[in-house]
Each structure stands twice: as structure tokens, then as C-alpha cells.
Amino acid sequence: MRLYHSPTSPYVRKVMVTLHETGLLPQVELIPVQGTPVDPGTMPVDHNPLGKIPALEIDEGTAIYDSRVICRWLDDRSDAGLYPAGPALWQTLTLEATADGILDAALLMVYEWRVRPEDRRHSPWVEGQWGKIARALDALESRWMAHLTGPLNIGQIAVGCALGYLDFRHSDRQWRADRPHLAAWEADFSDRPAMQATRPPQA
Ligand code: GSH
């Protein structure tokens, strides 16, 4: 298997953590790529027409993409059990969607200052993205702690990667303020060997 990879992508990190937790990492070759929405650069557009990573080549010429698809495919090939059976599955998938939504908004904020020309930036739009993140973090703090502290699942991995990305790119926003339960959870979860092994490089 070949994983199109960047050490700073939080969606790639979800896949990398899943590879560690499922024990499948030795089966994967990492292919470094980079690009942005305005310049696909070396992104694997032949494998993912959206020009995004992660994309995983599972066979010569066959690729799957989007971290949600890849993580579920990997879990299916292991006994890690990251997707609980029964009604809890929908909670887990909703938790993952919440974390991915944090990432989507956080990445758009990064693109706004790294990709968009300075004279065309629109701060209400940026603050609107942060508003989505803040509401999602409040929901995690008030409604999701029980699910976060249960057996390891893909929702927890996604939340761990989302919080790690906020520390990496948006540390000035101080997401831990007024969210003590989530902060304590993150301190514990980020100690997992899979999280330690996949920390983004210092900017
Ligand atoms: N929903 C996708 C997933 O979960 O895999 C999002 C992937 C994504 O946006 N990846 C970023 C990317 O490839 C890297 S962090 N951006 C390039 C672009 O949008 O053109």
C-alpha cells in the first residue's frame, strides 16, 4: 500500500494514527506530496481528482481517499474495533464528523492567510470559521466526554488529531480556556504512542 502523505496534514495524521493502532503501518509506503487548492503541486490528482490527501493506493492503480473512507477500510482489515457495533456506531461517526468539521474550518482559516492575497482577506469570514470550531469544542466539553473516555474508537482519534491541529496552527486561540474536561482528555490522549509518533513537525 502507498499512502500519499504530508506530516502537517491532520487528515493524514488520522490515517497514520489508525495505521499505528491497527498494526498495519509496516504494510504502507509513505509518498511525500504537497499542494494547495490554488496549486496542486505534487498532489496525487491521478488517484484523487479532488487533489487532496490522504489518498491510499491499495493495489496497483486502485486508490481510496478521504480519511473517513481510508480509516474504515483499514479497521476492516484489523481486529482493532475502532467502529463499535450497534447504536453506538452512529455516535462514533457523529463524533468523527464533528472533529473533521473542526479540521475543515481550521484548515480554511489557514488557507485564508497562507493562500489568499492579503488585500482580499475577509476577517468576518475567518471569525465565522472560528465560531464553528468554538461551538464544536463546547459541544465536546459538555456532551461528548463519556464517549471520549470509552474504548478507543475513530471518533476519539479524529478529536485527538483535531485538537493537535488547533495547537499546531491556532495556538493563539487558546482552545483550552473554559474547557477543562476536554483539556484533561487531550493531555492524556496525546500521550498514546500513536499520537506521539505522528506529532506534526514544529513550524
Ligand atoms: N475530507 C478530506 C479527508 O478527510 O481526507 C479532507 C482532506 C484535505 O482537505 N486535505 C488537505 C488537502 O489535501 C490537506 S490537510 N488540501 C489540498 C486542497 O484542498 O487542494
Side-chain angles (χ1 to χ4, degrees), residues 9-11 35-37 43 50-54 66-68 107 111:
S9 165
Y11 306 96
T36 70
M43 291 303 223
L50 303 172
K52 296 185 181 192
I53 52 171
D66 198 290
S67 61
R68 288 190 220 183
L107 183 61
Y111 285 154

Side-chain angles (χ1 to χ4, degrees), residues 4-197:
Y4 293 89
H5 178 276
S6 160
T8 57
S9 165
Y11 306 96
V12 169
R13 190 180 188 192
K14 277 177 66 188
V15 171
M16 291 297 292
V17 170
T18 302
L19 282 166
H20 278 271
E21 298 287 359
T22 54
L24 295 172
L25 185 63
Q27 299 183 28
V28 177
E29 180 189 356
L30 304 184
I31 312 291
V33 293
Q34 55 184 355
T36 70
V38 297
D39 176 8
T42 54
M43 291 303 223
V45 290
D46 291 343
H47 295 297
N48 178 357
L50 303 172
K52 296 185 181 192
I53 52 171
L56 181 69
E57 220 179 318
I58 53 177
D59 272 323
E60 191 67 40
T62 308
I64 59 174
Y65 49 84
D66 198 290
S67 61
R68 288 190 220 183
V69 176
I70 297 171
C71 291
R72 195 150 184 179
W73 188 88
L74 292 170
D75 182 74
D76 212 40
R77 273 143 195 84
S78 81
D79 53 12
L82 299 176
Y83 297 80
L89 174 65
W90 307 110
Q91 293 299 299
T92 297
L93 294 179
T94 303
L95 183 57
E96 183 185 21
T98 304
D100 284 4
I102 291 174
L103 283 181
D104 294 344
L107 183 61
L108 286 174
M109 291 170 70
V110 170
Y111 285 154
E112 185 74 6
W113 80 66
R114 297 185 92 179
V115 177
R116 195 181 293 280
E118 199 171 345
D119 60 334
R120 298 201 206 141
R121 289 181 199 149
H122 186 50
S123 63
W125 189 88
V126 172
E127 291 314 308
Q129 298 303 324
W130 183 257
K132 292 174 191 290
I133 295 170
R135 287 193 300 272
L137 292 171
D138 288 344
L140 294 177
E141 174 78 10
S142 60
R143 290 202 282 112
W144 285 98
M145 291 316 301
H147 207 83
L148 283 170
T149 46
L152 182 68
N153 63 53
I154 193 62
Q156 296 171 8
I157 291 173
V159 171
C161 293
L163 298 178
Y165 191 68
L166 294 183
D167 284 337
F168 180 50
R169 294 293 195 209
H170 299 289
S171 57
D172 55 316
R173 299 279 182 164
Q174 302 190 359
W175 67 263
R176 289 176 180 78
D178 299 326
R179 298 184 188 103
H181 298 107
L182 192 58
W185 178 85
E186 190 276 339
D188 188 45
F189 193 80
S190 62
D191 263 352
R192 290 183 82 86
M195 292 298 288
Q196 290 288 324

